[in-house]
Amino acid sequence: MSLITISKAFPVSGPSTFEVLFLTKMIPSWPTADGLRFGGDTEEMDDTYKFGRLVLQRMVDDMEARPSDIAAKLKPFIEGKLAAEDYDIDLDSLGELGLDIEHFLQSLCQRFPEDFDFFEVAWAYADRRFNHGNFGGGAYFITADAIHGMTTHGFLDEKRAAYMANKASMDDQSRVEGPSR
């Protein structure tokens, strides 16, 4: 199981963009009074989505109107799909381009700073076997300028390394000074 939530609703009056189109295919979404909310089990989502020629062309036009870091990577990929008349996009291929959910959210912050100044994303995964390492999660804080992230395993690795370095330093000091009385 792989769960994700995004902190903000996307206003109904907000921009209809290629990012939002992709996000609706990557994360479960539903309408609320505040706008479109995202969250749920991402493993329930289809891996391939048929966008259609017109939708892909609108995405390219949108990328040209308001450039972003992700548009520079994604535009040639979509133009290649249009040229080949292949309108199916395997979402795993976006990962091969180095494009993940957090990059689509950052693109919204870059292109529409008046609507999206930051996003908070929390995610978790679990396995049926409750062994250490089989479940965890993390979080991202995303702005137009940066994506800051932390995972539970990264946090534990960092704290373990600091503890072991401190412990080794303490062991070295006790050897030099001898036991305290």
Side-chain angles (χ1 to χ4, degrees):
M1 177 173 15
S2 183
L3 302 172
I4 189 168
T5 64
I6 297 177
S7 62
K8 295 182 179 186
F10 290 66
V12 175
S13 62
S16 175
T17 68
F18 73 88
E19 296 96 343
V20 174
L21 283 169
F22 273 106
L23 287 168
T24 60
K25 306 308 170 208
M26 300 167 94
I27 307 169
S29 60
W30 66 97
T32 68
D34 297 328
L36 191 62
R37 299 289 301 176
F38 287 89
D41 188 348
T42 58
E43 290 180 4
E44 295 176 3
M45 303 299 289
D46 290 335
D47 290 338
T48 303
Y49 187 74
K50 188 173 190 87
F51 282 99
R53 184 190 61 74
L54 183 60
V55 173
L56 289 181
Q57 186 58 55
R58 284 185 184 159
M59 287 182 184
V60 169
D61 295 344
D62 182 34
M63 290 177 206
E64 289 173 350
R66 292 187 186 222
S68 69
D69 295 345
I70 196 173
K73 290 181 180 180
L74 189 58
K75 187 174 172 243
F77 172 77
I78 292 178
E79 288 174 330
K81 290 285 196 178
L82 285 166
E85 296 183 3
D86 175 9
Y87 310 126
D88 292 347
I89 294 182
D90 178 358
L91 296 180
D92 289 338
S93 63
L94 298 178
E96 293 169 14
L97 293 173
L99 302 177
D100 293 314
I101 291 167
E102 60 269 22
H103 298 105
F104 284 94
L105 293 171
Q106 184 180 41
S107 181
L108 286 168
C109 291
Q110 291 170 344
R111 295 183 345 123
F112 304 99
E114 63 283 353
D115 295 315
F116 306 109
D117 51 347
F118 70 90
F119 287 100
E120 297 171 355
V121 178
W123 53 272
Y125 63 91
D127 191 343
R128 293 186 187 274
R129 293 170 289 168
F130 291 105
N131 297 323
H132 187 75
N134 285 359
F135 57 92
Y140 291 109
F141 186 83
I142 301 165
T143 66
D145 299 323
I147 299 172
H148 303 279
M150 176 180 280
T151 66
T152 53
H153 294 289
F155 171 80
L156 293 172
D157 289 346
E158 179 184 309
K159 295 303 175 187
R160 184 182 320 104
Y163 173 80
M164 297 306 283
N166 188 40
K167 183 177 184 222
S169 173
M170 296 297 282
D171 288 346
D172 290 344
Q173 286 179 359
S174 66
R175 279 189 225 122
V176 171
E177 297 173 7
S180 61
R181 298 182 192 224

